[in-house]
Amino acid sequence: MPGNHYEATIDIGTENIVLLVADKEDDGHFRIIGHNISPSEGVKKGSLISIDSLSRVINKLIDKTFESFNLDFDRVRVNISDTHLSCTDGKGKVSINETVTSKDLDSVLESAMAMSTPTNKEKLHIIKKKFTINEFEVVDDPIDMEAEVLESKVHIVTVSSSSIRNIERCLEQCDIKLDKIILNSIAKSQAVLSQEDSDNGVCLVDIGAGVTSYSVFHEEGIVRSGIITMGGDDVTQDIANAFDTSLEEAKRLKENYGVAKSSALKEDKFINFTHNKEEHHLSSLELSEVIEGAYRDIFELLKNELKHHNLDRILKSGFVLCGGAAEINSIEELVRDFFSKRVKMGKIQRLRLSGLEAVLTDYRYAGAIGLLLHEGDLNKAEYVESIIKKGVIGKLKKVIVGNF
């Protein structure tokens, strides 16, 4: 069937919908061969509010991609930003008779995953973490090791069933199959985080138009994910309120003159803007102070989340920023000052990517690229290869590969 060797992803955002197509080679390398972006419709605060509107946008993107690149595909991966998401670590523990077998591995993971969920929620991700032998020795692959007790952890992410069903119905209207739904911040992490950042402790912050998503990683892998229901649109709204102007004009002021940290301004200038079709002036310093206040509101909520879950002290690598609303002058300085931590802008990691340079250097494609790279387990590749060689049953392989 045409298009079977292609991998396609759709990044559903509040401001833009992004479609990406890549050719996957036998070694797992992706060559990006097609792309398109369209203004978003049917999405508010990261959530789908109109299936018909979003499906029309997606259908147009599919048609444009076929016309521009002569590419056809039959299934896609998509992201989700669910304000009702929750996450927890499931723990399993089994007794071992001399050495760890594949059956023991299956049992301890089954035990770790045995967490009930409310009727209105579903498990979206079950991500393997490391194993512990005899309560103190942490290992990646315990097969054939001597042990009395084997313990495991899995990171479980749940989202609302209605959010999943809405995405499924939308793709049905587009006559395209769903490959996988992936949490937005987890997908982004695959695109922009290095293994060193993750191991040392890092918080990935994706500041989108409607919401701000975050995920924290440390040593064993992912620790926590969450969503703050504020983003770039809230910054725009604060500007509009402060200077009594339209949202369109406020967005122009933010994008053309915006500075996230007012003390970073080299000089104060007057800026022209329109209100009720009349020309007015405002101070660039006043504008930056409004913008800084709006971003500080977002970061205050993030700081409270991190402190509440005792995560603020493990971030040796600090913060990595991504998303459209992070593309504002001096945002790194503001975050560094606010959290007293390292901070840098996320850049797309190219170890498994090649192809269109315009895509690889454009922050707007980070989410779609992350969807391509996602494997369901942050350290899955070596682990699956190892345990399959040792005869782990197919059911376990399915769990680790990420068919949730």
Side-chain angles (χ1 to χ4, degrees):
M1 181 182 292
N4 276 354
H5 61 296
Y6 296 146
E7 297 277 355
T9 64
I10 297 177
D11 180 2
I12 300 172
T14 301
E15 186 164 355
N16 294 307
I17 309 297
V18 178
L19 173 64
L20 196 64
V21 185
D23 196 359
K24 186 176 183 180
E25 300 171 1
D26 292 339
D27 61 358
H29 189 92
F30 289 95
R31 183 170 61 89
I32 297 171
I33 54 178
H35 64 99
N36 264 299
I37 293 181
S38 174
S40 183
E41 294 182 22
V43 182
K44 184 177 181 181
K45 290 288 183 182
S47 298
L48 178 53
I49 61 171
S50 172
I51 293 174
D52 288 342
S53 296
L54 180 58
S55 63
R56 283 195 297 269
V57 173
I58 292 175
N59 274 323
K60 288 179 182 177
L61 284 174
I62 293 172
D63 291 342
K64 285 182 180 179
T65 303
F66 181 77
E67 293 169 5
S68 301
F69 301 96
N70 195 28
L71 294 173
D72 197 9
F73 49 88
D74 59 2
R75 62 179 60 240
V76 296
R77 294 180 173 192
V78 300
N79 63 333
I80 188 171
S81 295
D82 185 9
T83 56
H84 300 290
L85 80 88
S86 60
C87 51
T88 187
D89 281 347
K91 298 180 181 180
K93 185 175 182 178
V94 295
S95 298
I96 304 299
N97 182 17
E98 295 186 1
T99 60
V100 178
T101 66
S102 60
K103 184 177 180 180
D104 296 325
L105 206 64
D106 186 24
S107 296
V108 77
L109 285 169
E110 290 261 353
S111 174
M113 291 183 292
M115 183 193 81
S116 61
T117 57
T119 55
N120 62 341
K121 283 196 169 187
E122 295 182 23
K123 294 175 183 176
L124 182 68
H125 294 293
I126 304 176
I127 303 172
K128 179 191 72 69
K129 303 181 115 177
K130 294 186 179 182
F131 297 90
T132 303
I133 290 176
N134 298 334
E135 299 184 352
F136 70 90
E137 186 178 355
V138 178
V139 298
D140 290 318
D141 179 5
I143 293 288
D144 291 336
M145 291 185 176
E146 292 187 2
E148 295 181 358
V149 176
L150 176 66
E151 297 174 82
S152 71
K153 284 184 182 180
V154 293
H155 187 72
I156 301 171
V157 178
T158 63
V159 296
S160 67
S161 300
S162 60
S163 294
I164 291 178
R165 298 291 87 77
N166 287 339
I167 291 174
E168 290 174 341
R169 293 188 187 102
C170 179
L171 294 181
E172 286 174 3
Q173 287 195 12
C174 299
D175 195 26
I176 194 164
K177 296 177 182 177
L178 174 64
D179 178 14
K180 189 182 295 186
I181 301 175
I182 302 166
L183 188 67
N184 182 62
S185 56
I186 291 180
K188 286 280 184 78
S189 72
Q190 301 282 294
V192 304
L193 290 186
S194 68
Q195 191 61 51
E196 181 180 1
D197 286 335
S198 298
D199 290 343
N200 288 337
V202 69
C203 180
L204 176 67
V205 185
D206 176 20
I207 314 174
V211 297
T212 297
S213 306
Y214 73 90
S215 282
V216 177
F217 300 83
H218 187 253
E219 292 180 347
E220 293 184 26
I222 188 166
V223 177
R224 183 165 186 84
S225 297
I227 291 179
I228 295 166
T229 56
M230 294 178 66
D233 288 349
D234 295 277
V235 179
T236 303
Q237 184 67 63
D238 281 5
I239 296 171
N241 293 340
F243 302 106
D244 194 22
T245 189
S246 66
L247 288 174
E248 181 180 359
E249 183 68 352
K251 185 177 181 181
R252 184 188 71 83
L253 291 170
K254 180 182 71 175
E255 293 177 350
N256 292 347
Y257 307 102
V259 175
K261 187 169 174 56
S262 56
S263 62
L265 272 178
K266 294 181 179 179
E267 60 177 318
D268 191 8
K269 296 180 179 180
F270 281 109
I271 301 170
N272 294 329
F273 75 101
T274 303
H275 171 60
N276 291 333
K277 298 182 180 180
E278 295 182 359
E279 287 291 321
H280 294 266
H281 303 281
L282 62 85
S283 158
S284 60
L285 178 60
E286 291 177 337
L287 174 63
S288 66
E289 288 173 343
V290 171
I291 292 174
E292 179 175 347
Y295 276 100
R296 283 184 176 273
D297 288 343
I298 295 173
F299 297 139
E300 186 66 39
L301 293 173
L302 176 59
K303 178 181 281 189
N304 292 339
E305 286 257 319
L306 296 176
K307 282 188 174 182
H308 178 71
H309 297 286
N310 298 315
L311 300 173
D312 50 322
R313 297 181 180 179
I314 68 170
L315 304 177
K316 184 178 178 181
S317 289
F319 294 83
V320 175
L321 309 179
C322 61
E327 297 291 319
I328 188 171
N329 290 331
S330 74
I331 187 70
E332 292 173 81
E333 291 92 326
L334 177 60
V335 174
R336 190 177 297 114
D337 173 70
F338 191 87
F339 289 98
S340 298
K341 298 281 187 181
R342 295 181 184 180
V343 59
K344 63 182 178 181
M345 296 300 297
K347 293 183 179 180
I348 293 172
Q349 306 289 302
R350 300 197 185 195
L351 293 177
R352 294 171 55 202
L353 296 168
S354 63
L356 300 169
E357 190 67 17
V359 170
L360 294 174
T361 56
D362 190 335
Y363 73 89
R364 296 177 298 174
Y365 288 99
I369 288 173
L371 290 169
L372 276 179
L373 298 174
H374 182 264
E375 294 182 326
D377 189 300
L378 298 179
N379 300 301
K380 174 190 73 77
E382 298 88 355
Y383 175 72
V384 169
E385 182 179 356
S386 170
I387 62 177
I388 289 176
K389 286 179 180 177
K390 292 180 171 69
V392 176
I393 62 175
K395 179 171 60 175
L396 178 58
K397 176 183 174 184
K398 181 178 179 181
V399 169
I400 300 298
V401 168
N403 295 325
F404 307 124

